[in-house]
Amino acid sequence: MQTLESGRRSTRVEALKRDIESHVRYTLARDNASATERDVYMATAWTLRDRLADRWAATNARYEHRDVKRVYYLSLEFLIGRALGNALINLGLDGATAEALEELGYNLEELMDREPDAGLGNGGLGRLAACYLDSMATLELPGMGYGIRYEHGIFRQALDDQGRQVEKPDNWLMDGNPWEIARPDRTYKVKFWGRVQAHHDEEGRVHFDWVDTSDVLAMAYDTPVPGYCNNTVNTLRLWAAKATEEFDLEGFIRGNYIAAVEAKTQTETISKVLYPPDDTGAGKELRLKQQYFFVSATLQDIIARYLTERKTFDDFPDKVQIQLNDTHPAVAIPELMRLLMDDHGLEWDESFDLARRTFAYTNHTVLPEALEQWGTDLFGRLLPRQMEIVREIDKRFRARVLEKFPGDAAREERMAIVSGNRLRMANLAIVGSHTTNGVAALHTEILKDSIFKDFHELWPDRFTSVTNGITQRRWMLKANPRLSSLITEAIGDEWVTQLERLRELEPLADDAAFRERWMQIKAGNRARLAGIVTDLTGTPVDPASMMDVQIKRMHEYKRQLMNVLRCVDSFLMLRDTPDLDVPARAVLFGGKAAPTYWTAKLIIQLTNAVGRLVNAEPKASRLLRVAFLPDYRVSLAEKIFPGSDLSEQISTAGYEASGTGNMKFALNGALTIGTLDGANVEIAENVGDENIFIFGLKADEVEARKAAGYNPRAEYEASPRLRRVLDFILSGVLSPENPGLYRPLVEGLLFSDPYMVLADFDAYVEAQEQVDFAWGDQQDWTRKAILNVARSGFFSSDRSVKEYATRIWHL
Ligand SMILES: *Cc1c(COP(=O)(O)O)cnc(C)c1O
C-alpha cells in the first residue's frame, strides 16, 4: 500500500522530471537524446530556481508590505561555492531530485560536480559573507548582500612539474550562470574623475556639482539566497559594469569606431576580475574604482528603495543598517553624505549624523600592512567630491580629539583620517560608523588595547566583539551527510537550525555502540578523502592513516612552513630510526598563494619537494605521506573536512583575527592542534583543554619576545632537532638541480623570523607527539571527537548573525 508520504514524494519526483525535461526542450532547445550532462545540470538548476522564484517574490513582497528595517551586507567578496546542492538541501528536495535524475539516467552527485564554484572571494573574509547570507535567510532576517559580479573570480591553481603554483583564469560564467537573474531595470550611473564646481542658489546657499566626469553604468544581477526549509529567499545583488551609451555615441560621432569600442572595453574592466590580496600594498587605481563602483550603485539602490515609502530621510537609520565587511566598502561613508547633501539637499550635520547611525564596521585584521590606505592624490583625482568630504570629516574629527585631549598633537596625528598624503580607511570607518567589531574575543581585545587603543579611549562604547561563525547547513548537513544522519538519528534534527542542540550528543561520547558507529562513518569519510588525494596528486594514501590537514590561504603568519619543517623532522626520524613507534599519517596541505607573494609560493614548492622525497622513501612512506592538494576552494573544502582527523591551526598568536576553517574542522569531529590565537581560544574554552592540543607562545608572549629582542639564531643553536631539519634543507637535497632554491626560506627564519616559527617549533613537535599518543587510543580519540562536535554549537553563523542583529543592527 502506498502511504500518503510516498505518494507525495512520487508526485514531486514526477514534477521534477517533467520540469527538467521541459527546460532541456524549451530553454535549451535540445531533444533528450542529444542533451549533454552539462545541459541536464543547467536544466536541473533552472528547475530548482523556478521553485525558489515564488518564494523569492513572496519574500520581497512581505518585506515591502511590512516596511521592515533592512540590513545590507556590503562586501567586495562573497565566496559562495556551488549553489545546486545548497538549494536542494534548503528546499528539502535532495532525495526527490536524486530520484528524478536517476530515472532520467543521470547521477545527481556527478551533475553537482559539473557546477563551477562561484569563487568571488579570496578566503575567510569572503566565505564569512556567504555564511552570513545563509544565516540571515534561515533566520528570516531581511538581509541583502551587495557586491561585484566579477567575470573572473579567484584564479584556479595548478601545480607544474616542479611543484610550483601556476595561476589560471577562472572562467566561471563561460557556460552561463543559471542561478542569476539580470535586472537591467536596476541600472545606475556611477561617476569618476572630473571636478567639483560650487554655485549659489537664489537664497545664497552653496551647492556643489561634480562635473566633467567619466561615467560607468552598474547593472544588477540577483542571486537567490534560500533559507533552510522556511520559504524565505533573500537576495545577493552583484553589480556588473557596462559602458554608458554616451560613450559609444561620442565615438561614433567622431567617426572613431575602434576607439569607441576600446573605451567600452576599458570601462567594463571594472568588474572583470577579483583582486587577490596584494602584499606590496600598492594603491591600485582599478581596485579603488571597484570599491567606489559597487558602493555608489548600492547606495543609490538603497536610497531608491527607501524613498519608495518615504519623503524625508528622518527615519533612514531606523530602516537601513549597512554593515561594512572590512574597510573595502568604507568609501560608502563620504558617498552617502554626498548623495544626501548634493542630491537631496541635506545639511552637513544631519548628513553626518545619519551616515554615522547607518554604518557599522567589521575589522578583520591587525596586520599593519593589511590596513587599507589610499594616496590622497589618487583618491582626490578619482573622487574629488568625496575627498573634500573626507577632509571635512577629518578636520572636524581632529577638533573633537583635541577637545577631549587638549594639546595632544601626537594623539591627534595617530588618529587622523588624513595624515600627510595618506587616507586611512580604518580610521574613516571607525569615525563614520556607530559600531566597530572584531571577529573573535582575543582579536577585539587586541583592537582595543593596541591598534585602535586611541579610538577605544575616546569612544569605548563603539567597540564590540562578534565571534565569527559558519553555517552548519553547508559545512555539516551538505558536506557530511553520513555523520549528519547519525546525529539526527541520535538527537533529532533541530541542530540544523539550532546548533547548540548538539550538546545532547555529550552523553553519547561514553556510549561504546555509538562510538563504534561514529568510527565507521569516519572511516568511510577518511577513505573517500584518501581517494580524492590520490586522484588529485597521484600519491597513494592508506585510508587507515590519520588525516592531518592544513587547508587555508598560504601566508607566513599561518605558518604552513612550520608544518613542513615538522614533516622533514618526521621523515628524518622514520628514515634513521628502525621500528619507530608512530602511527601512520597523511599530512595534507591546500591553499592558494597571492600571485605576487613570492615567499608563499616558494613554501608551496618546498611542500611539494618534501612530499616527493617522503613519498618515495620506503622506510618513511610506510608511515608518512605528504601531499599538496591543488586548487583549494569551497567545493574541495566540503570534501576534505568530513574525512579529517587533525586540524592544523598553528598561526603566530595574535595574528589570525578569528579563523573559520578551525570551526568547520571541529564541527566535523577533527581534533585541533593549535596556538591560542583567534577563535582557537574560544574553541579551547568550549571543547575543554583535554580535547584539544594547544601549544606555543601566547599573543602577549609573542609581543614580549619581540620587545625583548627576539633572536631566532639562538633557537636554532638550542634545538638539535630544529638544527637537523634546517641543515637538511640547506644541504640542497630537496632541489639537487638548484641546491640554493630553498635557502631564502631558511635564512628568513634564521635572520628575522617575524612569525616566530623557530620559537614555537619544539613545542609544536612535542604537541604532535601528544597527538600521536592520543591517536593510539582510538576509543578515547573518538570520545574527544564526539565532544568536539557536541560543543561546537557556539560556532554557528546563526549565533553570530543573531549577535549582529541584536547588538549592532538593533533589528
Ligand atoms: C573556511 C574557508 C577559508 C578560511 O579558512 P581559515 O583556516 O579560517 O583561514 C578559506 N577558504 C575556503 C575555501 C574556506 O572554505
Side-chain angles (χ1 to χ4, degrees):
M1 194 186 76
Q2 196 179 18
T3 64
L4 192 60
E5 178 55 30
S6 77
R8 280 205 196 99
R9 190 178 172 89
S10 70
T11 324
R12 245 188 331 220
V13 172
E14 288 310 314
L16 285 163
K17 272 166 66 181
R18 189 191 61 224
D19 293 353
I20 292 168
E21 288 188 311
S22 162
H23 275 297
V24 169
R25 226 179 133 95
Y26 298 109
T27 313
L28 291 165
R30 291 255 194 195
D31 59 40
N32 284 336
S34 69
T36 62
E37 270 211 356
R38 182 239 158 206
D39 294 336
V40 178
Y41 160 71
M42 294 292 279
T44 307
W46 280 315
T47 297
L48 271 295
R49 199 189 69 183
D50 291 346
R51 280 158 177 69
L52 293 173
D54 286 335
R55 295 166 169 89
W56 200 0
T59 302
N60 283 328
R62 189 171 76 235
Y63 291 160
E64 263 163 52
H65 179 70
R66 297 196 192 152
D67 188 23
V68 293
K69 181 176 188 175
R70 297 178 192 251
V71 176
Y72 299 107
Y73 198 84
L74 269 59
S75 180
L76 215 49
E77 303 191 8
F78 287 92
L79 193 52
I80 301 167
R82 292 174 175 158
L84 177 55
N86 189 244
L88 288 173
I89 285 220
N90 285 7
L91 285 169
L93 286 175
D94 38 339
T97 305
E99 221 173 290
L101 286 166
E102 187 79 48
E103 291 180 21
L104 294 171
Y106 295 90
N107 176 278
L108 174 60
E109 287 289 321
E110 283 166 21
L111 287 190
M112 287 200 295
D113 256 335
R114 297 199 73 86
E115 181 177 351
D117 278 41
L120 310 182
N122 276 289
L125 174 147
R127 183 54 231 175
L128 184 76
C131 283
Y132 283 0
L133 291 183
D134 181 88
S135 285
M136 286 192 283
T138 295
L139 293 167
E140 308 191 350
L141 298 178
M144 187 165 170
Y146 274 108
I148 294 179
R149 179 181 177 272
Y150 300 106
E151 230 175 285
H152 302 281
I154 183 71
F155 63 85
R156 283 187 300 122
Q157 179 194 56
L159 299 171
D160 70 9
D161 57 359
Q162 309 281 304
R164 287 177 299 212
Q165 168 174 297
V166 180
E167 299 94 25
K168 306 250 168 101
D170 161 49
N171 236 334
W172 73 294
L173 293 171
M174 194 171 54
D175 288 346
N177 175 1
W179 300 101
E180 68 183 8
I181 294 192
R183 303 269 188 218
D185 58 317
R186 291 280 176 275
T187 297
Y188 299 93
K189 187 195 278 185
V190 177
K191 304 199 249 182
F192 293 101
W193 309 109
R195 63 198 168 82
V196 181
Q197 216 170 38
H199 77 266
H200 292 80
D201 64 16
E202 310 84 72
E203 287 141 43
R205 297 195 329 166
V206 197
H207 294 263
F208 296 93
D209 300 310
W210 184 12
V211 298
D212 297 339
T213 53
S214 303
D215 303 341
V216 179
L217 296 179
M219 181 174 133
Y221 284 80
D222 287 352
T223 299
V225 181
Y228 178 74
C229 295
N230 65 358
N231 290 330
T232 291
V233 178
N234 283 345
T235 302
L236 170 61
R237 178 161 287 181
L238 301 176
W239 301 104
K242 306 273 175 202
T244 57
E245 281 165 326
E246 295 96 295
F247 241 90
D248 285 336
L249 207 57
E250 239 174 76
F252 280 122
I253 291 163
R254 280 191 264 103
N256 197 347
Y257 171 71
I258 298 293
V261 174
E262 264 173 17
K264 179 175 151 71
T265 313
Q266 268 298 313
T267 305
E268 294 180 355
T269 56
I270 289 182
S271 55
K272 227 0 129 203
V273 60
L274 166 79
Y275 264 85
D278 185 349
D279 292 86
T280 63
K284 292 279 195 316
E285 181 182 304
L286 181 60
R287 169 84 172 183
L288 183 57
K289 279 186 174 170
Q290 288 185 335
Q291 295 183 351
Y292 178 69
F293 165 77
F294 107 90
V295 158
S296 178
T298 298
L299 289 175
Q300 292 180 64
D301 199 39
I302 290 172
I303 288 174
R305 187 174 300 115
Y306 172 83
L307 287 179
T308 54
E309 297 291 327
R310 259 160 273 268
K311 298 256 168 326
T312 76
F313 285 91
D314 299 348
D315 301 331
F316 197 73
D318 302 320
K319 292 291 165 188
V320 174
Q321 283 295 300
I322 299 178
Q323 191 67 37
L324 305 174
N325 194 25
D326 212 315
T327 57
H328 315 147
V331 66
I333 293 163
E335 176 64 1
L336 179 60
M337 291 187 66
R338 182 187 74 85
L339 291 166
L340 294 176
M341 293 189 296
D342 298 357
D343 289 4
H344 297 278
L346 272 63
E347 300 292 337
W348 176 279
D349 287 335
E350 198 184 355
S351 302
F352 183 75
D353 179 62
L354 290 174
R356 202 189 59 73
R357 287 161 52 212
T358 298
F359 291 110
Y361 155 55
T362 303
N363 172 279
H364 286 273
T365 180
V366 294
L367 299 181
E369 70 270 24
L371 283 180
E372 219 179 6
Q373 300 197 6
W374 291 103
T376 50
D377 183 56
L378 170 64
F379 197 98
R381 277 185 298 119
L382 188 71
L383 305 169
R385 178 63 179 135
Q386 291 78 358
M387 189 70 235
E388 284 182 357
I389 293 170
V390 170
R391 286 195 189 280
E392 184 65 23
I393 297 173
D394 182 52
K395 192 179 110 192
R396 291 172 186 233
F397 172 63
R398 284 170 177 263
R400 172 85 188 80
V401 172
L402 289 178
E403 186 186 290
K404 177 88 189 274
F405 303 98
D408 196 343
R411 182 188 295 261
E412 180 201 341
E413 210 46 49
R414 286 199 305 269
M415 298 179 78
I417 297 168
V418 182
S419 176
N421 61 359
R422 309 303 293 165
L423 166 47
R424 299 167 176 157
M425 299 305 272
N427 296 17
L428 173 63
I430 297 171
V431 173
S433 66
H434 57 81
T435 307
T436 294
N437 77 285
V439 290
L442 174 66
H443 170 63
T444 306
E445 287 312 304
I446 293 172
L447 293 185
K448 295 197 285 197
D449 296 347
S450 56
I451 65 167
F452 298 145
K453 186 170 195 287
D454 295 317
F455 288 95
H456 184 245
E457 281 169 13
L458 181 63
W459 294 314
D461 297 343
R462 281 198 196 181
F463 288 82
T464 189
S465 189
V466 181
T467 300
N468 283 168
I470 56 165
T471 168
Q472 66 267 32
R473 269 80 60 185
R474 183 176 292 262
W475 296 111
M476 187 67 189
L477 189 60
K478 176 171 182 290
N480 200 340
R482 283 181 283 193
L483 198 59
S484 292
S485 297
L486 177 64
I487 293 171
T488 294
E489 193 187 308
I491 63 169
D493 65 0
E494 282 85 1
W495 61 272
V496 178
T497 50
Q498 302 165 44
L499 201 61
E500 287 284 2
R501 298 292 282 268
L502 290 177
R503 286 264 171 216
E504 293 164 27
L505 289 170
E506 273 194 25
L508 292 164
D510 292 319
D511 176 332
F514 186 78
R515 282 201 306 267
E516 194 50 47
R517 297 186 62 194
W518 188 283
M519 283 190 275
Q520 269 168 20
I521 288 168
K522 192 81 210 186
N525 288 339
R526 201 181 283 126
R528 175 161 182 252
L529 176 55
I532 290 170
V533 175
T534 309
D535 285 350
L536 290 178
T537 69
T539 308
V541 169
D542 176 359
S545 28
M546 180 203 312
M547 299 291 167
D548 171 352
V549 184
Q550 188 170 21
I551 44 175
K552 48 182 74 248
R553 285 298 291 237
M554 299 297 299
H555 204 294
E556 288 164 277
Y557 83 79
K558 292 176 184 273
R559 301 200 293 196
Q560 282 96 349
L561 183 53
M562 189 160 75
N563 191 349
V564 177
L565 297 185
R566 199 201 75 90
C567 289
V568 172
D569 175 73
S570 180
F571 164 79
L572 295 170
M573 302 285 279
L574 289 166
R575 191 194 60 183
D576 301 343
T577 326
D579 309 323
L580 194 67
D581 183 23
V582 295
R585 281 200 200 213
V587 184
L588 308 178
F589 294 83
K592 293 173 185 173
T596 56
Y597 192 171
W598 183 83
T599 307
K601 291 174 108 171
L602 194 57
I603 293 170
I604 292 177
Q605 195 177 0
L606 173 68
T607 309
N608 282 308
V610 169
R612 255 198 309 257
L613 179 83
V614 169
N615 301 335
E617 212 287 329
K619 276 178 281 178
S621 63
R622 214 166 38 84
L623 294 175
L624 177 64
R625 295 278 170 169
V626 175
F628 189 96
L629 306 176
D631 206 28
Y632 177 56
R633 61 195 186 283
V634 172
S635 60
L636 182 58
E638 288 173 28
K639 294 171 182 162
I640 297 174
F641 289 111
S644 301
D645 296 301
L646 187 64
S647 161
E648 297 273 353
Q649 308 299 335
I650 58 179
S651 52
T652 315
Y655 284 67
E656 185 74 89
S658 163
T660 49
N662 46 5
M663 302 168 187
K664 299 167 198 164
F665 277 110
L667 179 62
N668 279 276
L671 306 195
T672 303
I673 180 166
T675 48
L676 278 178
D677 197 17
N680 297 353
V681 176
E682 289 152 88
I683 292 177
E685 281 168 7
N686 274 274
V687 306
D689 293 342
E690 64 291 359
N691 300 310
I692 190 168
F693 303 93
I694 296 293
F695 71 94
L697 296 173
K698 299 174 182 55
D700 52 348
E701 293 167 346
V702 166
E703 288 314 307
R705 287 288 292 269
K706 288 205 163 163
Y710 171 55
N711 176 12
R713 185 93 204 172
E715 307 292 327
Y716 170 85
E717 304 293 351
S719 165
R721 234 164 143 170
L722 176 60
R723 213 157 55 227
R724 193 159 76 127
V725 169
L726 295 183
D727 290 350
F728 180 80
I729 296 173
L730 280 177
S731 76
V733 293
L734 288 163
S735 51
E737 66 299 336
N738 179 5
L741 183 59
Y742 303 113
R743 175 170 286 271
L745 292 179
V746 177
E747 287 179 346
L749 294 175
L750 289 176
F751 296 120
S752 118
D753 192 18
Y755 302 103
M756 304 260 172
V757 172
L758 303 195
D760 271 348
F761 182 75
D762 280 0
Y764 179 50
V765 170
E766 211 170 286
Q768 288 285 17
E769 285 168 356
Q770 287 169 27
V771 169
D772 280 344
F773 181 75
W775 181 257
D777 183 347
Q778 279 293 299
Q779 290 296 332
D780 194 50
W781 181 281
T782 304
R783 229 188 115 259
K784 293 181 196 305
I786 296 169
L787 289 176
N788 266 261
V789 176
R791 297 168 182 177
S792 286
F794 178 75
F795 301 103
S796 170
S797 47
D798 299 344
R799 187 268 314 150
S800 312
V801 163
K802 280 187 214 160
E803 289 189 23
Y804 279 95
T806 53
R807 298 215 312 269
I808 299 179
W809 307 326
H810 301 288
L811 290 189

